[in-house]
Amino acid sequence: MVLALLLAWPIGLLVWANGKIQHVEALSGAPGTPGTTYLLAGSDARGDVIAEDGTEGARTDTIMLLHAPASGPVSLISLPRDTYAEIPDNGPSKLNSAYAWGGPPLLVRAVEQLSGLTVDHYVEVGFGGVQGVVDALGGVELCLDYDVNDPNSGLVWTAGCHMADGRTAIAFSRMRYADPKGDIGRAERQRQVIGAVSTKAADASILFRPGDQVSLLDAGIGALTVDEDTGIVDLGRLALAFRAANGPGGVTGTPPIGNPDYRPGNIGSTVQLDPELAPQFWSDVRDGNLSPGQVGGLPQP
């Protein structure tokens, strides 16, 4: 009887969680590329979360590609939201324009065209939901080595490492105007927040707290919207890939950047990927040929 209950609880929890997942049309149907590729998008409906620029309507301030190759290290690559890219059927613009103009399907197509990788799973995370997850975990430890008092994001920070609640974690991941590295620094902090959440959520002690399991799953799944074919098992594989990318054998960073203040036409300031280095970079991501550690970032003087 006890064994039956021990088995029934996790199975029932997974069935319950799978039924709560929200789905959206997203995938392009493009021919597959080797390995498994997840597109992670952080969306902001500009509701109860602070708006940096006064913009209303859905935006995506976080765009990451998580790629698990057939062999080699798993890569978690942040794409700056202002990356200069060709948006299918719309011409060149900032990458996050794709989401504003055509939602997940257009963002998927734009990222596929930019990277050469076919997106197998699309996962969108609402900023408000991330706040709920962090609070359900009792906060996460985050580190930043300089003081911040940024009214645009709402982040007030004293240099060092501190436990952050959900609202602070959101401000931490969104702040860029007070960051000397701008969008690139923000991408680094976004990866730090997600890494801190995934590490704390994987704490084995939660296995002995069923109530906390339900609260965490409820908050986490409530924050997610995924493509039509992605289920709870796929999200579990994503979590494992995420841990691998953030571990000592993984790859994190950005594509090689050529110009962080590229101003073509009337688009404004954009981030231009290095046209000579980016193609080989994406091939190395796909084939698992990158060495573990940090990659990309701002061009060296």
Side-chain angles (χ1 to χ4, degrees):
M1 180 62 178
V2 173
L3 179 60
L5 289 174
L6 289 175
L7 291 174
W9 170 251
I11 293 172
L13 194 62
L14 289 176
V15 171
W16 169 80
N18 199 57
K20 290 178 68 67
I21 296 175
Q22 303 173 78
H23 296 273
V24 67
E25 182 179 346
L27 302 183
S28 68
T33 47
T36 303
T37 303
Y38 304 84
L39 174 57
L40 311 177
S43 68
D44 184 355
R46 305 292 181 182
D48 57 350
V49 182
I50 301 164
E52 288 183 359
D53 52 12
T55 304
E56 296 183 359
R59 298 285 295 271
T60 177
D61 285 341
T62 306
I63 305 171
M64 298 182 186
L65 274 179
L66 176 64
H67 180 71
S71 64
V74 178
S75 297
L76 178 63
I77 307 300
S78 295
L79 292 166
R81 69 172 201 169
D82 292 340
T83 299
Y84 183 68
E86 183 72 23
I87 310 300
D89 305 322
N90 289 272
S93 188
K94 297 178 181 181
L95 183 58
N96 74 336
S97 297
Y99 186 92
W101 293 339
L106 187 57
L107 179 62
V108 166
R109 291 173 61 203
V111 169
E112 288 180 338
Q113 184 164 296
L114 180 70
S115 67
L117 295 168
T118 295
V119 173
D120 299 298
H121 301 283
Y122 173 83
V123 179
E124 183 176 312
V125 184
F127 277 119
V130 172
Q131 179 173 326
V133 171
V134 172
D135 287 337
L137 287 168
V140 294
E141 185 177 59
L142 302 173
C143 302
L144 190 60
D145 59 5
Y146 56 89
D147 294 346
V148 176
N149 188 349
D150 177 44
N152 292 291
S153 65
L155 180 66
V156 177
W157 192 269
T158 302
C161 297
H162 308 286
M163 286 298 293
D165 63 10
R167 189 169 182 82
T168 303
I170 294 300
F172 184 91
S173 66
R174 296 197 61 211
M175 185 270 290
R176 64 169 175 152
Y177 291 109
D179 191 320
K181 293 191 287 185
D183 225 15
I184 308 307
R186 174 164 63 177
E188 293 172 354
R189 283 179 282 101
Q190 288 168 347
R191 292 195 301 272
Q192 184 184 157
V193 169
I194 298 175
V197 168
S198 60
T199 298
K200 193 163 184 181
D203 186 344
S205 66
I206 201 170
L207 295 174
F208 303 101
R209 305 196 305 271
D212 288 349
Q213 292 177 30
V214 173
S215 297
L216 182 57
L217 271 174
D218 195 31
I221 291 172
L224 300 179
T225 302
V226 302
D227 64 83
E228 315 93 305
D229 300 326
T230 292
I232 195 69
V233 173
D234 300 302
L235 292 177
R237 290 173 179 151
L238 181 152
L240 293 175
F242 210 102
R243 289 184 64 188
N246 281 286
V251 176
T252 60
T254 69
I257 292 169
N259 186 349
D261 188 25
Y262 181 56
R263 296 176 179 268
N266 60 354
I267 299 174
S269 178
T270 69
V271 176
Q272 182 190 41
L273 304 188
D274 191 308
E276 295 183 2
L277 300 179
Q280 184 61 51
F281 172 82
W282 289 121
S283 295
D284 289 339
V285 168
R286 179 195 65 204
D287 298 333
N289 290 334
L290 294 174
S291 297
Q294 290 279 332
V295 295
L298 294 170
Q300 299 300 310

